Amino acid sequence: MPNHSKQEQETLSGDLLALAEQGRQPALGALDDSALLALITALDQARTQAETAADPDSAKLLLAATRRAQGERRGRGLRSPLQ
């Protein structure tokens, strides 16, 4: 299993790293519902920008963070903001 946390620290910087770190426990579980939905939207937008900028490593890590956040959203029974 890949160590995304270490890869995130090596690959991402600034705001992107902060977003990815928010998408990990325990920070992810501490977010209220509206903050979680906002995080999912921000992660998806950042991933799209990374794909557009031809930065596949960043896009891959941001996608993993989005999936973790989406899992938390599903666990809470919330509707996806991306629909």
Side-chain angles (χ1 to χ4, degrees):
M1 185 165 204
N3 185 348
H4 289 285
S5 178
K6 183 178 178 182
Q7 290 175 338
E8 287 168 355
Q9 292 175 358
E10 293 171 352
T11 305
L12 302 175
S13 62
D15 293 339
L16 295 181
L17 181 58
L19 279 175
E21 288 175 345
Q22 285 180 10
R24 299 198 159 281
Q25 294 295 353
L28 188 58
L31 296 174
D32 64 21
D33 291 349
S34 62
L36 175 61
L37 297 176
L39 175 63
I40 291 170
T41 301
L43 283 167
D44 190 59
Q45 290 172 351
R47 180 189 52 82
T48 301
Q49 289 176 355
E51 288 173 347
T52 303
D55 188 357
D57 293 335
S58 293
K60 175 183 155 191
L61 294 170
L62 292 166
L63 178 60
T66 302
R67 287 180 178 154
R68 290 190 303 269
Q70 288 282 14
E72 178 72 17
R73 177 198 54 81
R74 284 190 298 276
R76 296 183 189 189
L78 301 174
R79 296 186 66 137
S80 176
L82 303 178
Q83 293 178 346

